[in-house]
């Protein structure tokens, strides 16, 4: 094997390319990126990236040093599995021995709107999006955010820090309704209210009108909200079109096995675009849109492109920074039978989630700065070790989690 092609110019693809070199692969590595930029980190786009320069995964010189050929601004258009070729938008054809699809995901469109409306209605996925949104974040401007998930709330916090007025609309009864416990979501929502964000939950949107002077959001109840800019942040859709056209199995993303191999033995997929069986949770098939997962799966895919056949068994981990608060979640808590609260101080706490057999399956926490980081990291290790724990011990702030791990 001497040619590996990686389709996707983001965190996952870049991590895989560098990991291949670290693991001793000395053949040809070609990365294909649709955007006209070297790979950059997407999480900061809704935070510091709205207020400052991008954060690149690696300096451009490092790709040259590691002999990684990277093509930017050239989308892949088709995969010929029989000939083992990838056709690019400029007409070029690349041959591969092994292929990695790290095509990521794109923002979900609001029904009735195109993927890209005019200047006053935006979605956030790329550097170009961040730059356009940044121009509208200033004192005297009003931003309307549709969607009360991580992205929407992070944009709202950044906008308030830059002086803009913010309206946030969420159709569910509360913000962070997917993947975050209600107790923690309420802490985040209250901090936004204190920061001046107008949060409107349970609101159904009838239409969004892009006018010459303002955007108007027409609600199902007849009310109208006005803003200088509307940002739609209602989730993401995996980019599976290339894989689907090539006949690969699709199941809430490009379906892969425990080694990240697709239904074609010479093609792997990793990151936001793929769904995979999570062994820690009974091989439940999941798709994770998370920075850590993109990194970890990039490294795991590199190993398995080289034939190591290693199963991927990472603990899901998510985080979000909003104002001075940091929210962290390790594991999946939706099947928890018991939840106990552990107070760290007056502003920080962790919820431990156990299944019916007393096994720790998730931990979620919130607090200023790094207040919950250490305990969430230890909880992550306890989850990976499949530990059964005493709920009362977890709830007690004097219990040393490191000692529980060592026991």
């Amino acid at each position: 094997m001497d040619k590996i092609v990686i389709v996707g110019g983001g965190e996952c693809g870049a991590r895989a390319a560098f990991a291949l070199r670290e693991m001793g692969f000395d053949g040809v590595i070609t990365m294909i990126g649709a955007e006209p930029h070297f790979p950059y980190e997407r999480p900061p786009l809704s935070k510091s990236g709205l207020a400052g320069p991008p954060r690149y995964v690696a300096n451009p010189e490092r790709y040259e040093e590691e002999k990684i050929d990277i093509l930017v601004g050239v989308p892949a258009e088709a995969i010929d599995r029989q000939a083992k070729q990838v056709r690019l938008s400029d007409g070029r054809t690349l041959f591969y021995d092994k292929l990695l699809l790290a095509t990521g995901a794109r923002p979900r469109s609001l029904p009735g709107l195109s993927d890209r409306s005019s200047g006053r209605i935006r979605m956030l996925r790329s550097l170009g999006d961040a730059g356009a949104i940044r121009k509208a974040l200033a004192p005297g401007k009003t931003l309307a955010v549709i969607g009360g998930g991580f992205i929407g709330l992070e944009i709202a916090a950044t906008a308030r820090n830059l002086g803009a007025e913010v309206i946030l609309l969420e159709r569910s009864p509360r913000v962070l309704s997917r993947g975050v416990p209600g107790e923690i979501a309420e802490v985040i929502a209250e901090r936004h209210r204190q920061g001046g964000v107008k949060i409107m939950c349970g609101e159904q949107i009838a239409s969004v009108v892009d006018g010459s002077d303002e955007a108007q959001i027409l609600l199902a109840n007849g009310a109208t909200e006005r803003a200088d800019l509307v940002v739609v942040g209602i989730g993401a859709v995996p980019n599976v079109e290339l894989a689907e056209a090539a006949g690969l199995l699709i199941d809430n993303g490009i379906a892969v096995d425990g080694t990240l191999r697709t239904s074609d033995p010479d093609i792997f997929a990793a990151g936001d675009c793929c769904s995979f069986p999570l062994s820690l949770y009974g091989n439940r098939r999941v798709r994770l849109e998370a920075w850590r997962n993109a990194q970890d799966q990039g490294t795991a895919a590199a190993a398995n492109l080289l034939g190591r056949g290693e199963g991927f068994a990472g603990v899901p981990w998510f985080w979000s920074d909003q104002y001075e608060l940091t929210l962290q979640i390790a594991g999946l808590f939706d099947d928890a039978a018991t939840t106990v609260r552990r107070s760290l101080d007056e502003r920080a706490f962790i919820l431990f989630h156990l299944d019916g057999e007393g096994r720790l399956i998730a931990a979620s926490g919130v607090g200023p700065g790094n207040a919950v980081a250490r305990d969430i990291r230890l909880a992550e290790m306890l989850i990976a070790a499949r530990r059964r724990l005493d709920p009362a011990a977890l709830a007690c702030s004097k219990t040393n989690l490191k000692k529980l791990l060592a026991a």
Side-chain angles (χ1 to χ4, degrees), residues 91-232:
R92 280 181 288 178
T93 298
L94 299 178
F95 291 87
Y96 66 84
D97 293 299
K98 299 290 183 183
L99 174 65
L100 173 62
L101 300 178
T103 49
R106 63 185 182 278
R108 186 182 302 278
S109 298
L110 191 68
L113 288 179
S114 64
D115 284 351
R116 278 289 176 272
S117 297
S118 57
R120 294 188 184 276
I121 304 172
R122 307 289 306 191
M123 287 176 280
L124 176 61
R125 181 63 182 175
S126 68
L127 279 176
D129 297 332
I133 294 169
R134 186 185 307 127
K135 293 177 182 178
L137 303 184
K141 300 290 186 178
T142 297
L143 172 72
V145 179
I146 299 176
F150 285 137
I151 293 295
L153 289 164
E154 288 168 359
I155 292 171
T158 303
R160 286 300 296 140
N161 286 336
L162 293 174
E165 297 298 317
V166 179
I167 304 164
L168 187 140
L169 300 107
E170 166 59 46
R171 69 176 182 177
S172 299
R174 68 170 174 90
V175 300
L176 298 172
S177 59
R178 187 170 68 93
V180 178
E183 187 174 351
I184 289 179
E186 181 52 35
V187 171
I188 297 294
E190 181 57 29
R191 179 62 183 87
H192 277 273
R193 293 187 193 102
Q194 292 173 1
V197 177
K198 180 182 178 181
I199 296 179
M200 303 172 64
C201 290
E203 296 289 353
Q204 299 295 320
I205 294 173
S207 65
V208 181
V209 179
D210 188 353
S212 58
D213 297 324
E214 64 179 12
Q216 297 181 9
I217 302 171
L218 308 180
L219 304 180
N221 63 11
T224 300
E225 296 292 335
R226 293 174 168 79
D228 296 288
L229 181 73
V230 175
V231 176
V232 180

Side-chain angles (χ1 to χ4, degrees), residues 63 107 247 379:
Y63 295 91

Side-chain angles (χ1 to χ4, degrees), residues 1 3-7 30 32 76 78-81 84-86 94-102 242 246 248 260 262 264-269 305:
M1 179 177 67
K3 292 181 180 178
I4 293 177
V5 172
I6 299 171
V7 178
T30 304
I32 303 167
I79 300 169
D80 184 334
R81 291 166 54 194
K84 301 184 78 169
Q85 298 177 352
V86 178
L94 299 178
F95 291 87
Y96 66 84
D97 293 299
K98 299 290 183 183
L99 174 65
L100 173 62
L101 300 178
L242 193 66
L248 298 178
L260 303 178
T262 71
D264 184 316
D266 292 321
I267 302 178
F268 292 74
L305 284 163

